[in-house]
Amino acid sequence: MAEVRISNLTKTFGGITAVDNVSFETREGEFFFLLGPSGAGKSTIFNLIAGITPITEGDIFIGNKKVNNLKPGERNVAVAFESYALYPNRTVYQNIRFPLDAPVRKKDLSDSEKDKMVRDMAKLLQIDPLLDRYPKELSGGQRQRVSLGRTLIRRPNVYLLDEPIAHLDAKLRHQMRRELKRLQQEQGVPAIFATPDQSEAVAMADRIAVLDKGRIQQIGTPKELYFNPINTFVASSIGEPKITFIEAEIERKGNSLYLQKGNVNFKIPPKICKVIEENKISNKVIFGIRYSDLEISFEKKQEEGYLECIVDFYQINGEKVVITAVHDELKLVVVHELDRDKMIETGNQIWLKWESQNPYLFDCESGENLIP
Ligand code: ADP
Ligand code: MG
């Protein structure tokens, strides 16, 4: 059964189309993500599902029920927004408990059951020492967790979580990802989570809808989107460091194929050559190269296929070094383990070999994947 089904949903504000013919359905118990940059239309989709904003065109179903004409309160949707509209005159405890005392819920649970639920939720969100404080006595990240607690304490038909952990510091955000995922699995309530952060989506999602300018580009599991992106937008939306795109010619020399751009010739890996031949792809294409497709050497290699590059820029990221290397017009990103005995410096020579298992070839005009 489809838990939430959105069918050809459009929302315009004056001349702006914020949501453009969007369709998707979430599956039972699934954690579904909307991933897209700021302004992509994520919050507007949530406002439409929650009934806060009127629909321009299209339908919304929750369970099997069309909810287009239901008031927000009749939809039983719990929303956690990025900005945390808390009740300023209520304590943290009272804020989190508020939905449990709503007239429709009032008699479902005993007082001590409600009390336990509030305290358990506060513990889960690591705000249990703050239960007696008022919102103005909290940091932004603490307020966001109170807001999240107030949303999660309900048992709605669906949760809509709009960048709910964006304001937490990195360590807590990582913990919350795990907790939220666990909670969502335990409760089995369908949840839709909106974020501009691909690492958040990839870490938690069962499936992701990639959104750009109000339009869905592709829906799939994190793996599907990573390995089979429908276009360059999706390819660059998933994976960190981002995929590198190189618009280049395919050149044949003997039995081998080369990526040719200006004076640069870079040997195309056998797996990709095979796909190029099989699909009769010729001339100019956009090659996508992920950092994991490149093998790095710090010594000159006689072996064929290594391209000599200069380190243009590097950044240490935990135990890894992210290196941007150049060769003429070609710019490549490669990741190397941080090594005490081998410090990388700007201007160093390195040798890169392209060893991809997964082809990324896109049309120069449309950006569409030539091998979807
Ligand atoms: P996201 O949540 O992905 O950042 P939004 O749904 O907030 O994106 O916004 C999508 C687009 O709709 C943006 O261009 C935004 O400026 C526009 N928009 C959102 N709400 C309104 C509104 N109430 N009036 C006019 N334009 C709006
Ligand atoms: Mg938003």
Side-chain angles (χ1 to χ4, degrees):
M1 186 184 82
E3 304 288 326
V4 176
R5 184 156 64 88
I6 308 293
S7 174
N8 304 105
L9 193 65
T10 293
K11 176 67 191 180
T12 56
F13 296 104
I16 302 166
T17 304
V19 176
D20 192 355
N21 198 25
V22 162
S23 300
F24 63 82
E25 57 183 77
T26 66
R27 297 173 188 154
E28 201 174 330
E30 149 177 274
F31 214 171
F32 190 86
F33 271 63
L34 300 178
L35 173 68
S38 172
K42 305 181 296 293
S43 298
T44 307
I45 292 175
F46 280 1
N47 289 338
L48 294 167
I49 298 173
I52 298 162
T53 305
I55 295 169
T56 305
E57 261 178 71
D59 293 314
I60 299 171
F61 300 84
I62 298 177
N64 282 327
K65 196 164 171 190
K66 186 161 153 181
V67 300
N68 289 33
N69 299 317
L70 295 186
K71 295 196 184 72
E74 297 165 340
R75 298 187 186 195
N76 193 18
V77 168
V79 195
F81 288 111
E82 184 191 359
S83 54
Y84 4 81
L86 299 174
Y87 301 109
N89 300 324
R90 292 193 165 98
T91 62
V92 168
Y93 180 92
Q94 290 163 338
N95 264 285
I96 297 176
R97 180 161 163 153
F98 187 79
L100 299 181
D101 289 326
V104 280
R105 300 290 309 274
K106 215 163 183 165
K107 294 185 211 78
D108 296 358
L109 300 158
S110 72
D111 193 59
S112 65
E113 281 170 325
K114 289 178 190 172
D115 183 70
K116 183 169 186 314
M117 283 170 74
V118 173
R119 290 177 193 283
D120 287 350
M121 183 56 68
K123 197 167 268 169
L124 181 104
L125 296 168
Q126 299 177 30
I127 45 175
D128 44 322
L130 310 174
L131 284 170
D132 295 327
R133 291 210 200 161
Y134 288 88
K136 66 170 186 298
E137 299 168 322
L138 303 173
S139 73
Q142 291 167 339
R143 273 184 226 153
Q144 192 163 40
R145 278 175 283 157
V146 178
S147 163
L148 190 55
R150 199 179 55 186
T151 305
L152 296 178
I153 204 147
R154 294 177 51 186
R155 292 291 184 275
N157 288 326
V158 56
Y159 288 119
L160 303 178
L161 308 173
D162 195 358
E163 304 188 33
I165 52 176
H167 298 292
L168 307 188
D169 61 63
K171 185 167 163 238
L172 196 53
R173 202 163 58 231
H174 274 92
Q175 287 174 1
M176 286 301 137
R177 284 181 188 175
R178 243 194 347 259
E179 292 300 332
L180 279 176
K181 172 103 192 157
R182 191 174 60 76
L183 195 70
Q184 195 275 333
Q185 280 171 341
E186 274 175 14
Q187 295 193 347
V189 173
I192 309 178
F193 191 119
T195 181
D197 178 351
Q198 67 88 30
S199 65
E200 200 157 274
V202 167
M204 289 195 279
D206 292 308
R207 286 188 308 146
I208 302 171
V210 180
L211 209 63
D212 181 34
K213 300 190 190 83
R215 279 196 210 131
I216 291 194
Q217 301 293 310
Q218 189 174 1
I219 301 176
T221 63
K223 215 167 148 181
E224 283 163 358
L225 299 177
Y226 186 87
F227 288 110
N228 300 97
I230 196 160
N231 57 27
T232 49
F233 185 86
V234 175
S236 65
S237 296
I238 306 276
E240 186 61 45
K242 277 190 196 311
I243 192 168
T244 303
F245 296 123
I246 300 167
E247 191 171 330
E249 305 275 348
I250 296 168
E251 196 181 72
R252 177 182 294 281
K253 273 196 253 169
N255 282 331
S256 302
L257 296 179
Y258 291 79
L259 173 162
Q260 198 253 317
K261 189 177 175 70
N263 296 324
V264 188
N265 271 288
F266 200 14
K267 192 165 188 232
I268 299 173
K271 198 116 182 187
I272 299 179
C273 289
K274 195 161 164 256
V275 172
I276 290 173
E277 306 276 22
E278 278 169 7
N279 290 275
K280 301 192 169 50
I281 294 168
S282 57
N283 306 326
K284 216 167 187 181
V285 293
I286 298 172
F287 289 91
I289 303 183
R290 294 202 185 269
Y291 73 88
S292 49
D293 298 339
L294 294 169
E295 194 182 280
I296 186 168
S297 166
F298 295 98
E299 273 114 52
K300 189 174 170 62
K301 288 273 188 179
Q302 296 307 329
E303 196 185 315
E304 204 206 9
Y306 278 90
L307 188 71
E308 183 183 315
C309 296
I310 302 291
V311 175
D312 186 42
F313 180 74
Y314 70 92
Q315 202 173 7
I316 296 175
N317 187 354
E319 291 108 57
K320 310 252 188 250
V321 194
V322 180
I323 302 166
T324 305
V326 292
H327 179 120
D328 278 358
E329 295 170 53
L330 223 60
K331 197 172 246 187
L332 296 162
V333 177
V334 63
V335 175
H336 187 65
E337 296 289 325
L338 191 58
D339 182 348
R340 199 164 83 126
D341 302 319
K342 177 74 217 155
M343 283 315 290
I344 289 153
E345 300 293 345
T346 303
N348 279 169
Q349 276 178 313
I350 56 170
W351 286 264
L352 298 180
K353 187 175 186 183
W354 188 6
E355 284 278 27
S356 179
Q357 296 303 311
N358 192 65
Y360 295 102
L361 297 163
F362 304 92
D363 187 89
C364 290
E365 302 293 319
S366 65
E368 276 169 33
N369 193 342
L370 296 168
I371 345 262

